[in-house]
């Protein structure tokens, strides 16, 4: 059996789930999963068509050094961004990057995605933030690693908890979403695109719509998260 | 055979119809049906993926007490809202709750959905109303039950007949639709999303569009409803 | 073999083509075809789900009297509109009525659909007109027949040729499209929805966009229509 | 084996890929491929439904004379435009013309498609330009050939390299995209429609959004293009 076979199998399946959910056009987008005991992540290879992928195409990369430790292909060019997020966001088990249409429109507009309703509050505490633009030096340096850094900086400056706000909009680029596991990461990416699309129509209907009332936001968020959660089945 | 087998079967099928109609993303949304002789409703379990559902997963709940009387899972967290609606709207046989995109955009914008054409008038008399926001006390109390109450309050204050306007937009949340039976409830949920989407484009094309002329509204509504109805086949 | 079997078969197939093209939600919409030698049209029955239809469900109606001459069901409630159009527009062989989303948005906004590009010009000469609203008397009288009359009036007042502009937007209602045959009618309905959707985005990008230049319009229209047509294969 | 069998097979497959990608409605759109050694292009026949096409339906036309050298049908009416582009853009191996919705909306609005994010920058250097309108003389002359000329003129005046900006918006008409090979051409057409749709939502969210920062644009473009490219797998 291939090395890291189970991790690669799960990452492969998560990449397919992204396609089935309609979040991916061409080869835009990639999913990774982490094995913290082994200190590695597995990720989609760069620029390969989804119908040519199998579990064994997933590339396994060392979290610290970035070296490929299993797999024949070149890992996604966004791998350094994933590595930064895994190293700095300790609780993250899976990361999804897409150019999904509605979330990307907010990112391109340079607007954070405000929480306008309970669909959003069920998944994200408060607005999904948008990063600052990278400087020219950052762009011409280790661009993908700096993209990870600016995400971490955004969460630090706004005192956001990546477990509670498991997504970000990279300005002029697109969304990253994550979760404790791969399934959560994929679900959050789908939820993000869904609420981003509804929010576009909401602001078209009321340009000055206010963010959700704090009490309602807290109530909905805590239906799904934390000790008093009562959404879903007992585990 | 399972208890309430026929009711659960029909509720299961209605939940699937919702998915087929594209009204559901992830696990957002639920359908319930009522058996008034038995004093129970059957509803989707909370937070379970649609492809893991079967008729036997439907949870049967006592209309008055809210206690589960059949089924292993925890019922949808929105069950108290459904219970209020069945108790207060005597003619309702099925209820559908979704976060369908266009109707949710109107709900998030806090705008009632005006009747802008005959597609709307065929299903809903007048605007589909939007509720007031819940107070903080209501949110931190029995939130889902208060959501039912504010729907009932909205219909009472505007003197709306829930048989004639079988849907509502819960502000900052999303739509509920209902009907005399499960099929009607699903049809009304689909019709609501359809007219909500067309209405978004209509107001983009003419911001000050007026609601449908009263005579035309009455004519279309009565083609389908009441003693002079002549739409569809004789029953 | 059933009476008018071939006509009913073709009308049935055209109704299905409408569904496949995504123009129909629920039971909104109907297609009819005419047999002028027999003086009859065949049309979808009223309010029957598409998956319950077969060729033999198509109802055959006398063009002049409106009486059903074959078929068990009640014909579409819009049948009187179709009858007027067949009687007054001599060259029409098939008629499609839908509530397709984008065309209905223009109809609800009470705006004619301007010709904004060659996709439109390939199918329709000039704007697709929008009718005036019916008067209260017309609405409470033979409503569906008056709907046909106001379409004919619209074409007469604007000196439009129904062969060259094979569609109309009935204000606050939705589109009708037609053609020399059933295939043309279905194609024109699809083309109408397509150009209506593109036009919504076009006016969002440039509110004051001008209608297509007359020469370009003429050129594109005549690529497909008239003696100098050179689009498609020789027949 | 049919003449030019391999070229026609590839052009046929590329036409189908366009349909699968959802870029084509009815018979709008065509793909061609070139064989520069033979001095011919192969292209879809005019106005034939996609489900009636096979490799042998592709029409082979002489690049210089425009004469059909293989195939029974009449070539796409847009063939003269394709011929101009192949003759003047020496590096182009495949050309795709569609009326895809979002790109056509920009073309109808007469607006170039600005580069608003990295999805765009990955495929196109700078804005995708929009042509000037043809004059009446050009329209009534060899219209399709003049359409090719005005594309070439647009690239010359703006000093654009068709290898770096492999698409154009023909004003009031729709997009053409191309590439070194057929696969590239199809990919660029899909990418164009994708970024055009996201850009519509972006400008709705921020009307005065600025084009992408030059450094970020250069970085993303060069991830995929040129000697330092590191996106995708080594070839």
């Amino acid at each position: 059996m291939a090395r890291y076979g189970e991790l690669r199998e799960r990452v492969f399946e998560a990449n397919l789930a992204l396609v089935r959910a309609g979040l991916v056009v061409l080869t835009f987008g990639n999913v990774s999963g982490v094995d913290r005991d082994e200190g590695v992540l597995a990720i989609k290879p760069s620029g390969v068509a989804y119908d040519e992928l199998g579990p064994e195409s997933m590339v396994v990369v060392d979290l610290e050094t970035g070296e490929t430790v299993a797999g024949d292909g070149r890992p996604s060019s966004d791998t350094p961004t994933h590595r930064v997020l895994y190293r700095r966001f300790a609780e993250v088990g899976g990361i999804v990057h897409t150019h999904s249409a509605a979330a990307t429109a907010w990112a391109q507009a340079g607007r954070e995605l405000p929480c306008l309703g309970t669909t959003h509050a069920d998944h994200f505490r408060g607005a999904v933030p948008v990063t600052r633009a990278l400087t020219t030096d950052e762009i011409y340096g280790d661009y993908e690693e700096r993209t990870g850094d600016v995400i971490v900086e955004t969460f630090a400056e706004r005192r956001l908890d990546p477990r509670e706000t498991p997504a970000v909009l990279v300005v002029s680029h697109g969304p990253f979403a994550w979760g404790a596991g791969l399934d959560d990461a994929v679900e959050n990416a789908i939820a993000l695109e869904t609420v981003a699309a509804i929010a576009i129509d909401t602001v078209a209907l009321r340009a000055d719509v206010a963010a959700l009332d704090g009490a309602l936001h807290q109530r909905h968020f805590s239906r799904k998260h934390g000790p008093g959660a009562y959404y879903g089945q007992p585990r």
Side-chain angles (χ1 to χ4, degrees), chain A residues 7 10-19 23-24 28-36 40-45 50 58-59 61 63 76-99 124 144-145 147-149 151-152 155 162-163 165-170 173-190 192:
Chain A
L7 176 64
R10 288 192 297 118
V11 170
F12 169 66
E13 291 295 341
N15 273 286
L16 292 194
L18 213 60
V19 174
L23 296 198
V24 172
F28 311 157
N30 43 69
V31 182
S32 71
V34 76
D35 183 330
R36 292 193 179 272
V40 298
L41 64 79
I43 194 163
K44 192 169 77 76
Y50 278 84
M58 299 299 115
V59 185
V61 171
L63 269 190
S76 164
S77 54
D78 295 310
T79 302
T81 313
H82 291 244
R83 285 174 51 230
V84 170
L85 296 182
Y86 284 122
R87 292 201 313 263
R88 301 293 298 276
F89 292 170
E91 308 80 0
V92 169
I95 297 174
V96 175
H97 172 50
T98 75
H99 291 207
F124 308 103
E144 289 84 5
E145 200 166 328
T147 298
D149 290 344
I151 294 171
V152 174
F155 275 67
R163 291 170 299 187
T165 307
V168 71
L169 304 173
V170 177
H173 187 147
F176 283 79
W178 51 79
L182 274 161
D183 290 350
D184 298 321
V186 169
E187 175 174 331
N188 288 332
I190 297 172
L192 178 64

Side-chain angles (χ1 to χ4, degrees), chain A residues 56-125:
Chain A
E56 70 291 349
S57 341
M58 299 299 115
V59 185
V60 184
V61 171
D62 187 283
L63 269 190
E64 292 302 324
T65 66
E67 310 240 311
T68 295
V69 296
D72 295 327
R74 189 189 273 176
S76 164
S77 54
D78 295 310
T79 302
T81 313
H82 291 244
R83 285 174 51 230
V84 170
L85 296 182
Y86 284 122
R87 292 201 313 263
R88 301 293 298 276
F89 292 170
E91 308 80 0
V92 169
I95 297 174
V96 175
H97 172 50
T98 75
H99 291 207
S100 64
T104 300
W106 286 91
Q108 291 192 164
R111 290 178 66 168
E112 66 174 26
L113 178 66
C115 177
L116 301 180
T118 60
T119 324
H120 183 121
D122 283 340
H123 289 87
F124 308 103
R125 184 189 287 280

